[in-house]
Amino acid sequence: MENKYSVLLPTYNERENLPIIVWLIAEAFSKSGFNYEVIVIDDNSPDGTQEVAKQLQTVYGEDKIVLKPRPGKLGLGTAYLHGIQHATGNFVIIMDADMSHHPKYIEKFINKQKRTMILSPELAILMEEAYGVGV
């Protein structure tokens, strides 16, 4: 079975950032060859973020860009939980739409995760190196 990575992308007023971050994510996965989906969890943004997400679905496909909106601004933690409930991948990557987590590191994270699974499957969690967590 091929691994699939679900990228959780909570949004609130990210109309301008969303096309950029999605392109960077798609580019990172295209270069690496890993299967993925981007789950956009929008908290009813008044700036039209959901409409942009729908346009991105026509560009990348609804199987790659999955829109899972919520009725209001409910918070980041619950947005991640909402995204996990809709994830179809067997691995989850948590990111921010404001690009504070840059997609250029995705391939490196996945390769590190694969090495970790070989050494210790119970530790197979993707962590961002910027937080100083190493395997």
Side-chain angles (χ1 to χ4, degrees):
M1 181 178 103
E2 179 186 24
N3 287 330
K4 181 177 181 181
Y5 296 85
S6 294
V7 179
L8 305 186
L9 202 59
T11 58
Y12 187 77
N13 288 339
E14 298 289 354
R15 177 184 180 88
E16 292 181 13
N17 286 340
L18 191 58
I20 299 166
I21 192 76
V22 166
W23 182 84
L24 289 168
I25 291 168
E27 187 73 9
F29 277 100
S30 176
K31 286 180 181 176
S32 68
F34 298 122
N35 190 13
Y36 75 99
E37 66 183 351
V38 177
I39 302 176
V40 178
I41 306 110
D42 186 67
D43 277 1
N44 201 24
S45 297
D47 74 340
T49 298
Q50 286 185 37
E51 288 74 26
V52 171
K54 289 174 185 174
Q55 291 173 2
L56 292 169
Q57 286 179 314
T58 64
V59 173
Y60 296 96
E62 291 183 24
D63 61 322
K64 294 295 182 196
I65 308 300
V66 180
L67 178 59
K68 293 297 177 183
R70 302 191 308 163
K73 193 169 182 186
L74 303 173
L76 185 61
T78 58
Y80 287 132
L81 293 174
H82 185 73
I84 288 169
Q85 292 171 345
H86 295 284
T88 62
N90 52 326
F91 295 103
V92 172
I93 299 173
I94 294 173
M95 300 191 78
D96 284 334
D98 66 3
M99 290 180 262
S100 59
H101 306 130
H102 201 287
K104 68 182 179 183
Y105 298 109
I106 288 174
E107 184 175 10
K108 186 175 183 180
F109 295 154
I110 292 173
N111 288 331
K112 186 172 238 184
Q113 173 252 336
K114 285 182 173 188
R115 287 193 310 272
T116 302
M117 286 182 61
I118 291 169
L119 299 173
S120 181
E122 67 274 6
L123 296 177
I125 300 172
L126 296 177
M127 301 295 287
E128 181 156 358
E129 290 180 355
Y131 296 120
V133 178
V135 178

